[in-house]
Amino acid sequence: MGKVPSGPEGPASQSIRKLFQPSVTLQPTFGQACSLAGLLGEKAKTIKKRSWIAMTLSVQEMSDRFEIQDLLVGYCYAVDDRDFDALDRFFTEDAIIDYSEMVGIKGSLAEIKAFLRESLAPITAVQHAVMTTQYRFDSDRCETRTVCNNPMVVPGDDGQPQTMFFGLWYIHQLQRTEQGWRIASLYEKKCFNHNLPDYIRQQVA
């Protein structure tokens, strides 16, 4: 057998080199490389810029807002579930609750609990849905204003179930205590009502 040429131009050497070469790698053009570098540079600038953005709310204020929101929602569920003793967890001991603009009563927590037990007894279904709360903090005190939509199913003037609606704002005065935030006062501000039976309309006029 003759000697296999080993020079760079020999066909055997070329075949062997091709056999052991790695897979072909596509090389970007100069323009593509410049475009990629530009994109990476802009991404780096964006990341750097975002790292400099200051938080407009402190972690403490965010925590305060969540805690207060839990109080507002907890109040609604306690009333809707008729778990009136649960209200003790949301209010200060000397809290004042003022429903006078809506249903003509204002009193202490104990007085309002008794009123709710009696007034909600004939109501077959009720919901309090709160939303769009505004917060005004002043150290360990906070005032909130919250929209409430309040549908109720009651006996109509003809004795049949009738769904009526109240729209109002809750105005809360809250204070920070050793146990966390608590409601010091609640005022209900009237916005609208709809589809009230005549006997109820006379009571809330």
Side-chain angles (χ1 to χ4, degrees):
M1 179 180 293
K3 183 178 180 181
V4 178
S6 59
E9 301 302 325
S13 297
Q14 292 177 9
S15 298
I16 293 172
R17 283 201 302 272
K18 289 181 179 179
L19 180 63
F20 289 98
Q21 277 182 346
S23 300
V24 175
T25 301
L26 296 177
Q27 297 295 326
T29 65
F30 178 76
Q32 290 173 332
C34 289
S35 297
L36 179 59
L39 290 174
L40 292 175
E42 289 301 318
K43 184 66 175 178
K45 289 179 183 178
T46 302
I47 294 172
K48 184 176 180 180
K49 183 178 180 181
R50 286 179 179 171
S51 67
W52 284 37
I53 295 176
M55 295 176 62
T56 57
L57 294 177
S58 67
V59 174
Q60 181 63 60
E61 185 170 349
M62 287 188 282
S63 174
D64 291 340
R65 287 172 178 245
F66 282 125
E67 188 175 344
I68 289 171
Q69 187 66 27
D70 283 346
L71 293 177
L72 308 187
V73 172
Y75 165 83
C76 293
Y77 276 110
V79 174
D80 291 347
D81 294 340
R82 293 170 168 78
D83 185 9
F84 304 115
D85 287 335
L87 295 173
D88 296 345
R89 302 198 302 267
F90 310 125
F91 289 86
T92 60
E93 293 182 359
D94 58 349
I96 298 297
I97 302 172
D98 190 347
Y99 296 160
S100 56
E101 192 171 327
M102 295 295 296
V103 292
I105 185 172
K106 174 182 177 180
S108 65
L109 178 57
E111 291 169 331
I112 294 301
K113 285 164 60 175
F115 165 77
L116 290 172
R117 284 191 177 95
E118 181 179 356
S119 63
L120 292 180
I123 296 176
T124 57
V126 58
Q127 279 189 335
H128 293 75
V130 290
M131 64 203 81
T132 59
T133 298
Q134 290 181 324
Y135 301 82
R136 295 183 178 87
F137 286 94
D138 182 10
S139 186
D140 289 335
R141 302 190 67 84
C142 181
E143 178 180 282
T144 61
R145 181 173 184 243
T146 305
V147 169
C148 177
N149 289 324
N150 177 205
M152 297 183 180
V153 180
V154 298
D157 293 318
D158 59 358
Q160 297 301 309
Q162 180 171 332
T163 302
M164 62 180 185
F165 300 86
F166 290 99
L168 61 146
W169 290 279
Y170 285 150
I171 310 299
H172 287 94
Q173 302 294 333
L174 303 108
Q175 65 183 50
R176 194 194 310 272
T177 71
E178 293 181 355
Q179 293 75 39
W181 285 95
R182 293 293 184 271
I183 302 169
S185 71
L186 165 58
Y187 181 79
E188 292 188 343
K189 182 176 179 58
K190 182 188 299 184
C191 182
F192 70 88
N193 58 52
H194 175 69
N195 201 38
L196 277 61
D198 288 340
Y199 74 94
I200 292 181
R201 188 179 303 278
Q202 294 170 4
Q203 298 176 37
V204 302

